[in-house]
């Protein structure tokens, strides 16, 4: 597809999302807690419907270019229709003819149409549950769809019709061959307005593109295949999607865990859009820190690649006893952070994720990249220093990139990216990118945006292990030990002393000038001293 067509379909897809939001607003659901569930699920239904149509028409070319292809499909015998399921991609949802949008559109004037739409979604979810269900840590399954029209208190049939009428205007079949860049843009647009929901924040669900791109390109500088990638605090999976794109969606298997059901649903949608349906079975809703799910041969699974933008601070005070149990000693080798007495939600929970990630890396080959508060890289004591020391002493520290402030629009916390490589035996790259980027306004917040050229500069400098004045330095493990395990690039930059060539005559002139100025200052100092003494003598005591 041409660039012009891609831009056209990007625009039209965004318009569809906006129109679905307008429908919600018209029926009193705008900015409600349920709006995103409605938008994301009806959008996903549309995508799955058109994906099914796209593949069916590949299998039965005679259906292409016909307006009544759904009707013709329905004429097939049950046996012939069942055969189609085995011929289709294993990652495509299989729909019955009466579940297709075209058939529902023809029935929209029937009584209880809202119930019909909800029943259809629930049947699709049930029939495809094995492929699309997200699991919880205790084995329960979160199905694909809910009864979305029940969120509306009145005029449910009208609401259901209005949604469906938006879906028939635009056809996704033309974009099924689009790649990651297209679908990542659409996904970001889909979730951009939902920056708060029941106390949640946008940052929980989405990692900025620049951070994701830098991480993926540094972790995967050359082709690889048949690997596992993992995020223990996955959110919507932005980091995982960028990493999978760098590797190839058919060359990797995704594993994830996140305590939020909303995050897990977002990740499922992201996996569907990016041809990673085969990994949905590995999406787990649950608490990674207290109950890590993914295991192999009775032990916690080890992964080829791990990425994470973990929560920096959270209240885990109720879980302290569990975290300090004997079976967690090896995983939390540097210790469990203290619970602040007056502000429990300031517990530095990211240090637990860091330790879990290190523990979960494949020995001798695993790679990881973790977003951390920049204060982590210079902390002089405590768990933070112990983690850095462990990474150095076990020859797994690959480097650090300190990002500009406000790279995340929702937080003023300065962040750095910590890179680990279990195969790294030599040099460590430290980059100070804090002066890059330009500030833009995003809503009420200021955000720093890197240009593609700046992003590539960071990537090239790191992967090629270049020393660039006042930007990057390449150091040894011994150098880091000598600096008390500090990972701040600035502490390793050379101190510059500028020497100026002057003649003896110029030198004498400058010295005389300094001498004259100094003598003047001494005179003024004596005058000021006499004035102070004079004023002191005039002071009287008053009761």
């Amino acid at each position: 597809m041409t660039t012009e067509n891609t831009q056209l379909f990007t625009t039209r897809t965004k318009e569809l999302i906006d129109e679905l939001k307008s429908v919600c607003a018209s029926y009193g659901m705008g900015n409600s807690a349920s709006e995103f569930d409605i938008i994301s699920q009806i959008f996903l239904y549309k995508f799955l419907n058109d994906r099914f149509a796209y593949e069916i028409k590949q299998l039965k070319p005679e259906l292409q270019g016909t307006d009544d292809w759904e009707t013709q499909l329905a004429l097939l015998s049950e046996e012939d229709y069942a055969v189609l399921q085995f011929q289709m991609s294993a990652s495509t949802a299989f729909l019955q003819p009466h579940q297709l949008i075209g058939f529902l559109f023809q029935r929209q004037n029937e009584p209880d149409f809202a119930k019909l739409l909800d029943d259809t979604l629930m049947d699709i979810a049930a029939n495809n549950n094995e492929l699309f269900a997200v699991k919880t840590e205790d084995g329960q399954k979160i199905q694909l769809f809910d009864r979305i029209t029940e969120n509306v208190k009145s005029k449910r049939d009208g609401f259901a019709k209005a949604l469906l009428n938006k879906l028939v205007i635009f056809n996704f079949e033309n974009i099924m061959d689009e790649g990651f860049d297209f679908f990542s843009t659409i996904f970001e647009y889909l979730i951009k307005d939902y920056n708060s929901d029941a106390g949640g924040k946008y940052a929980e669900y989405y990692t900025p593109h620049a951070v994701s791109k830098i991480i993926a390109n540094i972790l995967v500088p050359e082709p690889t295949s048949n690997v596992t990638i993992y995020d223990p605090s996955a959110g919507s999976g932005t980091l995982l999607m960028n990493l999978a794109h760098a590797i190839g969606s058919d060359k990797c298997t995704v594993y994830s865990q996140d305590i939020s059901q909303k995050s897990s649903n977002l990740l499922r949608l992201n996996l569907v859009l990016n041809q990673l349906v085969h990994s949905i079975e590995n999406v787990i809703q649950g608490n990674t820190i207290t109950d890590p799910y993914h295991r192999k041969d009775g032990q916690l699974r080890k992964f080829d690649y791990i990425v994470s933008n973990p929560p920096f601070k959270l209240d885990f005070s109720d879980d302290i006893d569990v975290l300090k149990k004997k079976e967690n000693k090896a995983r939390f080798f540097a210790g469990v952070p203290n619970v602040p007495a007056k502000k429990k939600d300031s517990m530095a929970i990211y240090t637990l994720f860091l330790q879990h990630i290190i523990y979960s890396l494949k020995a001798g080959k695993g790679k990881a990249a973790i977003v951390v508060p920049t204060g982590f890289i210079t902390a002089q004591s405590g768990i933070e220093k112990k983690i850095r020391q462990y990474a150095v002493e076990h020859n797994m520290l690959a480097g650090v990139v300190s990002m500009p402030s406000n790279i995340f629009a929702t937080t003023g916390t300065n962040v750095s990216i910590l890179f680990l490589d279990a195969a790294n035996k030599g040099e460590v790259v430290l980059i100070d990118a804090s002066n890059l980027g330009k500030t833009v306004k995003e809503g009420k917040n200021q955000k720093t945006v890197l240009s593609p050229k700046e992003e590539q500069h960071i990537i090239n400098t790191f992967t090629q292990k270049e020393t660039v004045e006042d930007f990057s330095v390449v150091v040894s493990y011994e150098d880091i030990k000598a600096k008390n395990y500090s990972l701040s690039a600035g502490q390793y930059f050379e101190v510059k002393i500028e020497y100026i060539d002057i003649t003896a005559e110029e030198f004498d002139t400058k010295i005389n000038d300094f001498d004259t100025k100094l003598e003047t200052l001494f005179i003024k100092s004596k005058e000021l001293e006499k004035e102070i003494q004079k004023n002191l003598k005039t002071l009287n005591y008053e009761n």
Side-chain angles (χ1 to χ4, degrees), residues 41 114-115 118-119 122 145-151 156:
Q41 289 187 50
K115 181 177 182 301
D118 284 343
D119 288 346
M122 298 301 287
F145 298 120
D146 299 317
R147 307 187 71 85
I148 61 173
T149 73
E150 291 184 356
N151 292 292
R156 286 178 56 202

Side-chain angles (χ1 to χ4, degrees), residues 201 203 312 405-415 445-447:
K201 290 191 175 137
F312 291 168
S405 59
N406 298 318
I407 198 75
F408 288 80
T410 52
T411 175
T413 303
N414 289 342
V415 303
N445 301 311
Q446 297 284 341
K447 181 180 179 181

Side-chain angles (χ1 to χ4, degrees), residues 447-466:
K447 181 180 179 181
T448 301
V449 178
L450 296 177
S451 69
K453 184 177 180 180
E454 289 174 323
E455 293 171 358
Q456 198 59 49
H457 180 44
I458 293 172
I459 294 165
N460 291 344
T461 301
F462 196 105
T463 55
Q464 296 169 17
K465 295 189 175 182
E466 296 177 343

Side-chain angles (χ1 to χ4, degrees), residues 457-493:
H457 180 44
I458 293 172
I459 294 165
N460 291 344
T461 301
F462 196 105
T463 55
Q464 296 169 17
K465 295 189 175 182
E466 296 177 343
T467 296
V468 179
E469 186 175 339
D470 293 333
F471 179 72
S472 67
V473 63
V474 181
V475 299
S476 68
Y477 288 136
E478 292 304 317
D479 293 332
I480 295 173
K481 290 177 183 178
K483 293 282 189 181
N484 199 29
Y485 297 95
S486 171
L487 305 182
S488 172
Q491 294 195 22
Y492 297 85
F493 291 156

Side-chain angles (χ1 to χ4, degrees), residues 203 207 211-212 215 219 229-235 237-240 243 257-258 288-289 305-312 349-350 352-358 367-373 408 415-419:
T207 301
V211 175
S212 303
I215 285 176
L219 284 183
I229 64 178
Y230 171 58
D231 189 337
S233 56
T238 312
L239 287 173
L240 286 170
L243 183 58
Q257 190 165 349
D258 196 287
T288 305
I289 299 303
Y305 295 92
I306 304 178
V307 288
S308 185
N309 175 18
F312 291 168
I349 194 68
Y350 79 93
L352 293 175
F353 279 98
L354 253 176
Q355 294 175 79
H356 171 77
I357 288 167
I358 290 173
K367 295 182 178 182
I370 311 99
V371 180
V372 297
F408 288 80
V415 303
S416 294
I417 308 170
L418 176 70
F419 288 91

Side-chain angles (χ1 to χ4, degrees), residues 14-32:
K14 289 181 177 180
E15 288 173 350
L16 170 63
I17 294 169
D18 291 339
E19 289 171 358
L20 293 174
K21 291 177 182 177
S22 294
V23 171
C24 287
S26 297
Y27 284 83
M29 301 300 295
N31 298 317
S32 69

